Amino acid sequence: AERKTQAPYFGSIRCKGISKDRVILEKLWNMIFTDASEDRNWGSVESVCTWYGITCDPDGDEDSVTEVKLENNQLRADDPEAASQLFGELPSLKKLNIRGNSQLPL
């Protein structure tokens, strides 16, 4: 069951392109979040570092995600393998906590 449509991208005041981490997180947002999930700032034009449950490397590149903490967040996956692969594609990810999401069998 699709939760929402992808948020529109309105551009950036920075000259940099969209980060790989943002693209991956937006795909995950559309894939595993439900209406009951906390998703403050997800899909917004704000830095992914401000998105609920996301921690970035303060010394790394902007939007360099090092931790995803979405424990007990009502997440679900119709395609757990695809969701797992996306988490694995976050280049700087060191910690992943998605415990307590019974509909997300990763």
Side-chain angles (χ1 to χ4, degrees):
E2 282 291 322
R3 182 183 168 291
K4 335 178 169 181
T5 58
Q6 187 164 348
Y9 181 71
F10 294 109
S12 174
I13 59 172
R14 297 179 194 95
C15 294
K16 294 164 57 172
I18 300 171
S19 73
K20 177 179 181 178
D21 289 18
R22 175 180 288 274
V23 171
I24 292 168
L25 291 175
E26 286 181 348
K27 286 179 184 177
L28 282 164
W29 178 59
N30 284 304
M31 182 183 295
I32 66 173
F33 280 75
T34 66
D35 289 336
S37 302
E38 169 60 62
D39 66 350
R40 185 175 53 255
N41 284 347
W42 279 74
S44 74
V45 296
E46 299 296 324
S47 165
V48 299
C49 303
T50 68
W51 293 6
Y52 176 81
I54 300 299
T55 302
C56 295
D57 180 358
D59 300 321
D61 292 333
E62 183 179 344
D63 291 353
S64 180
V65 176
T66 57
E67 182 175 1
V68 176
K69 185 177 181 184
L70 297 169
E71 187 173 13
N72 299 313
N73 199 31
Q74 307 289 323
L75 304 176
R76 61 167 294 163
D78 293 328
D79 186 351
E81 188 174 313
S84 181
Q85 182 177 349
L86 284 170
F87 280 119
E89 289 177 9
L90 290 166
S92 301
L93 187 66
K94 293 178 175 53
K95 294 181 185 177
L96 174 62
N97 181 352
I98 52 173
R99 289 179 287 199
N101 292 289
S102 61
Q103 302 278 335
L104 189 65
L106 299 182

